[in-house]
Amino acid sequence: NISMWGPQARRFVLASSDAVWAMVEHRLSLDALVRLRRQLSFEGWNLIGVPARPSASGKALSGGAMFLVRKHLAIWPFADGGIAHDAPAAGYGHDWVACRIALKGSSLCLILVYLTNQSGEDARTVNQVKMREIANFVDTVDMPVALLGDWNLQPEALRASGLLTLLAPREMEISTPNLPFTCSGGAGTMLDYLVLDRKAAAVVSQ
């Protein structure tokens, strides 16, 4: 979670040797995301993403998700273009975006997702909509599926929320990184991790 894309984030990415970045909460409009894709293309990057949306107050943009991928890698969007505002059937939704990764002898669908971090019934409703969009898209995907996210819920809270029941046919499991926490606020919490179906778990473990 970068909280906002800006000059500092750009310098950090371009100076890094990493070939893939998964970023949420970039807070970029559709026009800004298109401009960024054009700019980064000259630097050797592909961008696959969805723009931020107006916040609840309507005064600012919030959310958004994007993959930044070095052009030489076999990672593509599920639909042409790489950027869309609202096309869940093609792998672009509210704060989530999917890409297709070619692996040796197989492929993997990787979905980047950002769940709303506010409390209350409105946030639960928004997150249910996001997960329902993802579940409907996953139903059309004939390959292993992994969700990489800033869930804004610790693993036990995500399980208790019922959100993963929308993906029940895939028999999803949670895989956390080998870290004490991923969010340093307070005593530290685990909010960023993978949710994978069984086939994806086997692929990722190889």
Side-chain angles (χ1 to χ4, degrees), residues 92-110:
Y92 308 90
H94 184 184
D95 286 341
W96 66 271
V97 62
C99 69
R100 184 196 313 261
I101 303 175
L103 304 172
K104 187 176 181 180
S106 63
S107 295
L108 174 71
C109 170
L110 180 61

Side-chain angles (χ1 to χ4, degrees), residues 163-186:
L163 291 171
L164 295 184
T165 61
L166 295 166
L167 296 164
R170 285 274 179 166
E171 300 183 26
M172 309 301 287
E173 58 186 65
I174 292 174
S175 176
T176 57
N178 188 27
L179 297 168
F181 54 80
T182 60
C183 176
S184 59

Side-chain angles (χ1 to χ4, degrees), residues 7 27 31 52 57 60 66 79 102 110 129 134 157:
R27 304 191 189 190
D31 288 345
S57 66
M66 64 181 178
L110 180 61
V129 170
I134 292 171

Side-chain angles (χ1 to χ4, degrees), residues 9 15 18 23 32 36 49 54 58 65 76 78-79 95 113 115 122 130 135 152 155 160 163-164 171-172 183 191 194:
D18 292 329
M23 298 182 172
L36 179 61
W76 306 282
F78 271 82
D95 286 341
V113 57
L115 289 192
D122 288 346
K130 293 178 183 181
N152 276 306
L163 291 171
L164 295 184
E171 300 183 26
M172 309 301 287
C183 176
L191 303 179
L194 282 166

Side-chain angles (χ1 to χ4, degrees), residues 55-129:
S55 63
S57 66
K59 296 181 180 179
L61 293 174
S62 66
M66 64 181 178
F67 291 106
L68 301 180
V69 182
R70 286 289 186 185
K71 287 186 174 182
H72 69 275
L73 296 179
I75 301 176
W76 306 282
F78 271 82
D80 292 340
I83 294 177
H85 188 275
D86 190 13
Y92 308 90
H94 184 184
D95 286 341
W96 66 271
V97 62
C99 69
R100 184 196 313 261
I101 303 175
L103 304 172
K104 187 176 181 180
S106 63
S107 295
L108 174 71
C109 170
L110 180 61
I111 301 172
L112 177 62
V113 57
Y114 172 66
L115 289 192
T116 300
N117 65 351
Q118 298 171 345
S119 60
E121 189 61 34
D122 288 346
R124 284 192 290 271
T125 299
V126 169
N127 287 335
Q128 286 171 352
V129 170

